[in-house]
Amino acid sequence: MSDILAINGGRPVRDKYLPYGQHWIDEEDIEAVADVLKSDYLTTGPKARELEEKIAEYVGAKYAVVVASGTAALHAACFAAGIKEGDEVITTPITFAASANCVLYQGGIPVFADIDPKTYNIDTNQIEKKITKKTKAIIPVDFTGQAVDLDGILQIAEYYNLIVIEDAAHAIGTEYKGKKIGAISHMTEFSLHPVKHITTGEGGIITTNNGEYQKKLSLFRTHGITRDKELLTNKKEGSWYYEQIELGYNYRITDIQCALGISQLKKIDSFIKKRREIAETYNRYLSQIDGIIIPYQEPYSNSSWHLYIIQIELEKFKAGRKEIFEALKAENIGVNVHYIPVYYHPYYQKLGYKKGLCPNAEKLYERIITLPLFPKMNNKDIEDVVKAIEKVLGYYRK
């Protein structure tokens, strides 16, 4: 391996690009989808109901409602929680924009609370400082897969009569104090996007123990239309009759996708085991490299590790995060950054949000890099990532 950085014309650590995330589809998954294509149902049908039952069982919740995407799941949860125009909802800025956009969809106002600089999750103490008479809900995010301080957040929610919508898009399979998340918060959202732990291609799911929320979520994904006689205003018509009783959306998911999800769910434990092993290996190697801060994990959380994020102690290097990032990419390592603080985006700036709102989040953003992490990675892949980091940081070290 050449000591000259690939970005400067040297030979890269890897010949083939290693992405930061990748799905794993096998023949069993393909056969499951093919079986549905040969069946009588293609759109939402028996496979959707089966996936709901299996996810609910997996996380220990009474109910699950599967929808078209993780974003749709968050939007549906905000609807079920009764978020309306002028309501404030507290969330973290270090997340994908959907965690805040779902509040805007309902006419609400996202309020950003700063993060804990150790865990990168929303700081429970900062949540309470942001509560006003307009606050209706909290959307904490299990960032990278590490569970938030659920007991602390739920205690605040109970005191102020707030609803907790846990954004667990990164965290299916994560355990909080020995119990899988998904039945702890009032509602929990999971993503089934291809880079997540299991996939339906695109998809999302909300779990809850509240039957009223389950009814509202199911209604919302089908235009607000129902055939349920208990909900109909006109109960005299025939079995063909239906009514739109809310303004919902077409957030249905297909049985084709759900068949894939059911097949994937059979392998979730092995996928998570592999993710944890990769994270442990990264920790072992990277903790020996000066200038890197590896992820801190609270003892109450057993993460399912969607992302592995390092902090670069930039004061120890002659280059900024941008130069280090681009140099790693040139070595064919598919690094990424998760995330740009939500309120940095031009749309949020137009709404009046200003930089400086969450100092810990803003400082973190300047220093983080996401490394590849997915079950298909082998030991050589992990070694290549470490070699590339050593090569690049060695070149730029002061």
Side-chain angles (χ1 to χ4, degrees), residues 19-26 29-30 192-202 260 264 267 271 275 306 373-377:
Y20 92 87
Q22 190 177 65
H23 58 272
W24 187 336
I25 302 296
D26 61 19
D29 297 327
I30 293 168
L192 301 172
H193 183 275
V195 296
K196 301 303 196 306
H197 302 75
I198 60 170
T199 187
T200 51
E202 281 282 3
L260 175 58
Q264 288 263 298
K267 299 178 275 282
F271 288 165
R275 285 178 175 273
H306 167 49
L373 173 58
F374 54 93
K376 271 190 175 180
M377 287 177 65

Side-chain angles (χ1 to χ4, degrees), residues 37-55:
L37 291 172
K38 299 171 187 174
S39 74
D40 293 332
Y41 287 90
L42 294 183
T43 191
T44 310
K47 289 297 178 183
R49 291 189 291 275
E50 183 180 348
L51 180 58
E52 289 173 339
E53 291 169 0
K54 289 184 180 300
I55 291 282

Side-chain angles (χ1 to χ4, degrees), residues 124-298:
T124 307
N125 294 321
Q126 294 299 318
I127 291 173
E128 197 156 16
K129 293 178 182 179
K130 298 288 183 175
I131 293 173
T132 72
K133 291 180 179 178
K134 295 181 179 180
T135 307
K136 186 70 174 283
I138 307 167
I139 302 180
V141 177
D142 300 312
F143 182 54
T144 74
Q146 179 169 203
V148 293
D149 175 16
L150 284 170
D151 284 348
I153 291 170
L154 287 165
Q155 187 176 4
I156 291 170
E158 183 177 4
Y159 184 82
Y160 291 98
N161 194 29
L162 306 176
I163 297 168
V164 176
I165 301 168
E166 184 180 353
D167 182 344
H170 293 184
I172 191 168
T174 287
E175 294 172 0
Y176 176 77
K177 296 185 177 180
K179 181 180 179 180
K180 281 192 176 69
I181 60 170
I184 302 171
S185 299
H186 301 125
M187 285 179 275
T188 304
E189 172 267 341
F190 298 106
S191 172
L192 301 172
H193 183 275
V195 296
K196 301 303 196 306
H197 302 75
I198 60 170
T199 187
T200 51
E202 281 282 3
I205 198 156
I206 315 101
T207 58
T208 184
N209 288 327
N210 186 306
E212 290 304 309
Y213 288 154
Q214 187 267 344
K215 289 177 183 177
K216 290 178 180 178
L217 294 164
S218 299
L219 192 65
F220 192 68
R221 74 173 172 190
T222 54
H223 304 275
I225 290 174
T226 185
R227 295 178 185 271
D228 187 340
K229 287 190 175 182
E230 289 184 11
L231 301 177
L232 297 177
T233 58
N234 183 344
K235 304 182 188 301
K236 297 179 181 179
E237 299 289 351
S239 59
W240 53 268
Y241 187 71
Y242 60 87
E243 291 178 347
Q244 181 182 339
I245 60 176
E246 296 283 359
L247 181 59
Y249 288 72
N250 180 359
Y251 279 162
R252 295 190 301 268
I253 191 170
T254 69
D255 264 22
I256 302 168
Q257 294 166 283
C258 290
L260 175 58
I262 293 164
S263 181
Q264 288 263 298
L265 188 59
K266 297 175 184 177
K267 299 178 275 282
I268 190 170
D269 289 340
S270 64
F271 288 165
I272 292 173
K273 182 174 183 287
K274 180 65 174 175
R275 285 178 175 273
R276 287 173 175 158
E277 289 171 353
I278 294 168
E280 287 175 8
T281 306
Y282 273 149
N283 285 343
R284 189 166 63 251
Y285 284 122
L286 298 179
S287 61
Q288 305 302 312
I289 301 176
D290 185 42
I292 288 178
I293 299 173
I294 63 171
Y296 171 82
Q297 297 293 290
E298 288 282 5

